[in-house]
Every structure is written in C-alpha cells, then in structure tokens.
Amino acid sequence: MRLFFGQIIGSILTLSVCSCGEKKQADNTSSTISFQLTDSIQVDYLGDMRLIDYDEQQDKYLILDNANRIYLEVSGSGEIVNKNELSSDGLNAVSYVSGLGYLDSKVAVLTPTDGYYLFHNTTKVDEIAIPYPYRTVVFYDKLGIFSEGDRIYFQKPWPSSMDMSMNNWGFYEALYELPIIESLDTTKADTMAALRLPESSAFLDGRVHGILLPSYSKFDNVILLTMKFRPEIYVYQKNGVGYEYLKTIEVDIPDWVSYDPVERDNSAQFYNGMSSKQVGVVSDILKVDDFFVVIYSKGIPEEKMPIDVNDSNTRALSRRKANPFYAAILDQDFKQLATDIQFPASSNFPNVVNKDGELVVSKIAGMSETEDDGIVL
C-alpha cells in the first residue's frame, strides 16, 4: 500500500507520495508495515488549506480553506479544475458551512437551515432539503453523505425541537436515542432511520458520555462506524433500505487517553473532566487493498498537557505536536495486524484514499521546516 503525503508549508500545500510495505504473514507487526515519503505533484495556488474529500470517478481532490469558505477541486495531475467561494451574501448564500464533501461527483455543502446545496463546476445545480427544522453545532470533518437508488443517506442533524440544555440528562438521553444515519426518499421527500447505535453501546448505559461525534465509512454493503472518543468500531450490514448492527470491534491502542463518563445526576460535570486532558480520537476508517486502516490520535494525559497560552492558534499547534496521528491495520476479518504506525508528525487528519489505493493527507502549516512554492498533491 502507498501513502500520498500532503504538506501545507506556511501558506503552501504540498502533497508527496509515500509507500507502505507489508509482509503478508500471520505475524504482521508495526515493524513490517510503515509509511515512507516518496514524490510530489505541483499545484499552482497559495493559501492555508486542508484536504477534505476525494472523488474517485473523476479523480479529483476537494481542498478547503481554514475559514470553510473557499474550496478547490484539483485533478490527480495537480491541475486546479474548479475554485469556488461560498458567500454569506447574495444568491445561494450560505451563512455558515457545516460540512463539505462529494456526492455523486458533485460538491455537497451542508447549510444551517436549507439542507444540502449541490455544486457542479462551481454552479449550484440542485438542493437536497431536510424536511424538518434542524440545527448544526459543529463542522462535519467527514460529511458522510451518499446515495443508493432514490435514497440519500446522511448523518442526522439535531432536530430544532430538541432541548439544548447540555447540563441536563434529558438532552443526552434524547441525543443517544437519535438515529446516527438517516435516509431521505427523494420521490416522497420523507425520511427514516437507517442506522442506530446498538443496544450494547456504552452510550446507552444511562450515563453521560458527552455529545456524539460519529464518523462512518461505507464499503459496498457494509458501514463501519466510530464514535471517535472510544477505540471501537461498530460493524453494520445493509438490510433493506437500512443497516443492521453485526458486531463491535475493539481496537487495541496502547496509552489511549479515555474520557470519564459521569452519572446522569452530574451531567453538568462531564466537560469539567475533559478540560485537564485531551482524550484519544478515532477520526476515520479507510480501506487500502484488503486492509482496513484505522486513523487515530491517542490523546494527551493531564501530566503531559502543553502549557496553556492565550493565543488559540499557538495552543492548537502545541497540542497537535503532542498528539500525532497513528494508524492501526486490520485485515478483512477485522483481525488487528499492526498498531501505532505513525504518520509524519505534521499530518493533518488523514482521510482520503485515491483510486490507486494511495492514502492522501495534508500537512499542518505551522509544523513545516521548509518552504516551497505552490500547492503540491
């Protein structure tokens, strides 16, 4: 397997090709699977941007600026195919971009009130309305929208009717019972639950686990779901127009920094326990050849937390340096073959595998030791 490595150098993005070799033996370990930098493709653009998604049908990379307003579509050869700025004013205005990703080779933009806008060659060509009032509270690092026949599947947003009192157990009880994925019948404009947490999930044990930040990946008729703050994967199989839970895979990650659930009567105390440390995160699940690649950062225990500073960018950078990304490798039967395969230290949320089975990441600008001209894929 090979790895594309992208780097943002100051205001410059470079992507370099890396390789990952493996020995196909029963005793595969981290020492036999690794990432190595190899090559790069030049793109003529300056700006702090990050890789968001990839369209395999057209071999295009979707790259977004840090303000979540300007995106580029870049070909596999490095040519800028499209550049689009999402304005908060005028026709097709988007007051806030809640998420961005590809849907059937179109760029889908999740809006705060109007569902999804679809863009083709920078032109808005369609809308997908969510048929109830909803709210978005975070930017979706992975949009997770896909289509099957006349149905569109997407991460269910929070209904506006929900009580938003995060200090009360009632909010979390309602949140944990919501579907994770919802499907929209485009011929009738109605929705139904497509995927829920399994009854065995720790999130349904009657305690407070914080808000849900799901990330899921679809491979043929299987969906792999992570709730990010727990080192586990829920496996689902397509059943009719929905997805049925099959099993939970525990990922063995040494030195994982866990969060501390609190009893329902102490709901307001949950985030107090999160302030002194940075918990581990399973950010994505990718597939390269016959292997599943689980992307994670272990977190930072209280005794190793960087000294806090007032500047938010400096604070975020120091925490990222102390909390790099790793990969665990699972085979097709979810047997764990390798753990703690570290990405280059400046990697920024590895989340893309291209049509050639190459894993593509971008680089954090403030962690670069060199300067180059232009963006490189």
Side-chain angles (χ1 to χ4, degrees):
M1 95 183 80
R2 292 194 294 166
L3 172 77
F4 265 124
F5 177 65
Q7 54 181 322
I8 303 176
I9 312 278
S11 60
I12 303 166
L13 175 68
T14 64
L15 298 174
S16 307
V17 183
C18 302
S19 66
C20 172
E22 74 277 355
K23 294 180 180 179
K24 295 186 178 179
Q25 300 174 352
D27 61 347
N28 275 341
T29 64
S30 298
S31 62
T32 61
I33 304 178
S34 62
F35 297 138
Q36 297 177 356
L37 303 178
T38 59
D39 201 359
S40 63
I41 305 170
Q42 189 75 29
V43 181
D44 186 17
Y45 189 85
L46 299 178
D48 287 350
M49 308 192 83
R50 66 195 189 277
L51 185 61
I52 290 292
D53 205 354
Y54 173 74
D55 176 31
E56 182 174 343
Q57 296 301 316
Q58 299 190 40
D59 190 26
K60 292 191 301 188
Y61 298 94
L62 186 61
I63 304 173
L64 183 65
D65 75 334
N66 290 341
N68 300 332
R69 283 293 175 187
I70 299 174
Y71 70 79
L72 305 179
E73 293 185 88
V74 178
S75 72
S77 64
E79 176 188 0
I80 297 176
V81 180
N82 291 306
K83 175 187 174 184
N84 194 17
E85 181 170 1
L86 301 168
S87 175
S88 58
D89 301 309
L91 187 65
N92 301 326
V94 181
S95 61
Y96 176 80
V97 178
S98 299
L100 202 77
Y102 279 117
L103 172 65
D104 300 333
S105 296
K106 301 179 182 68
V107 176
V109 178
L110 177 59
T111 72
T113 57
D114 298 329
Y116 297 86
Y117 290 172
L118 300 183
F119 291 85
H120 177 66
N121 294 336
T122 74
T123 300
K124 181 186 169 186
V125 294
D126 204 353
E127 295 184 18
I128 300 172
I130 296 175
Y132 53 82
Y134 67 92
R135 66 185 76 193
T136 57
V137 295
V138 296
F139 181 86
Y140 292 8
D141 293 317
K142 184 172 185 177
L143 196 57
I145 188 170
F146 63 91
S147 65
E148 291 181 350
D150 292 327
R151 289 190 172 271
I152 305 292
Y153 293 75
F154 51 87
Q155 183 176 327
K156 181 177 178 63
W158 296 359
S160 296
S161 58
M162 275 186 60
D163 179 4
M164 292 296 293
S165 303
M166 294 190 186
N167 289 335
N168 297 327
W169 163 246
F171 164 76
Y172 296 100
E173 183 178 31
L175 179 64
Y176 301 155
E177 293 291 343
L178 285 177
I180 301 297
I181 301 177
E182 194 167 51
S183 75
L184 171 70
D185 185 338
T186 56
T187 65
K188 301 178 182 179
D190 61 2
T191 62
M192 63 171 288
L195 183 151
R196 296 180 179 271
L197 285 172
E199 294 181 0
S200 58
S201 171
F203 293 94
L204 301 180
D205 66 1
R207 296 183 295 173
V208 175
H209 298 262
I211 65 172
L212 299 182
L213 297 174
S215 177
Y216 51 88
S217 301
K218 181 178 180 292
F219 306 106
D220 296 325
N221 291 325
V222 171
I223 285 180
L224 303 183
L225 168 69
T226 171
M227 303 309 294
K228 291 194 174 180
F229 295 139
R230 300 181 66 88
E232 59 189 16
I233 300 168
Y234 299 132
V235 182
Y236 294 81
Q237 177 76 44
K238 185 172 175 57
N239 182 12
V241 296
Y243 285 81
E244 180 181 12
Y245 168 75
L246 295 182
K247 58 183 176 180
T248 300
I249 306 299
E250 302 288 343
V251 184
D252 183 15
I253 300 175
D255 303 319
W256 177 267
V257 180
S258 301
Y259 69 90
D260 301 306
V262 301
E263 299 300 325
R264 63 179 68 185
D265 294 337
N266 296 319
S267 299
Q269 302 302 313
F270 177 80
Y271 293 101
N272 292 339
M274 297 277 278
S275 62
S276 61
K277 60 185 177 182
Q278 187 164 324
V279 301
V281 170
V282 176
S283 59
D284 211 341
I285 306 161
L286 308 174
K287 191 173 184 182
V288 179
D289 299 328
D290 294 330
F291 301 96
F292 295 107
V293 182
V294 182
I295 310 297
Y296 62 91
S297 52
K298 298 184 179 190
I300 310 172
E302 183 175 1
E303 65 274 13
K304 294 184 179 180
M305 282 288 288
I307 297 174
D308 212 356
V309 295
N310 291 329
D311 182 73
S312 59
N313 290 332
T314 301
R315 181 168 61 250
L317 188 60
S318 64
R319 292 188 178 189
R320 173 50 58 206
K321 289 180 179 178
N323 191 25
F325 284 100
Y326 296 87
I329 309 299
L330 312 181
D331 67 13
Q332 295 184 83
D333 298 319
F334 303 106
K335 177 183 177 182
Q336 192 164 336
L337 305 178
T339 310
D340 283 1
I341 302 175
Q342 188 169 350
F343 286 88
S346 53
S347 298
N348 191 15
F349 291 100
N351 62 352
V352 164
V353 174
N354 67 16
K355 65 183 180 62
D356 297 320
E358 297 162 324
L359 208 163
V360 183
V361 301
S362 53
K363 186 174 182 179
I364 300 171
M367 296 177 67
S368 172
E369 297 179 356
T370 60
E371 291 191 6
D372 295 273
D373 294 326
I375 301 176
V376 180
L377 289 182

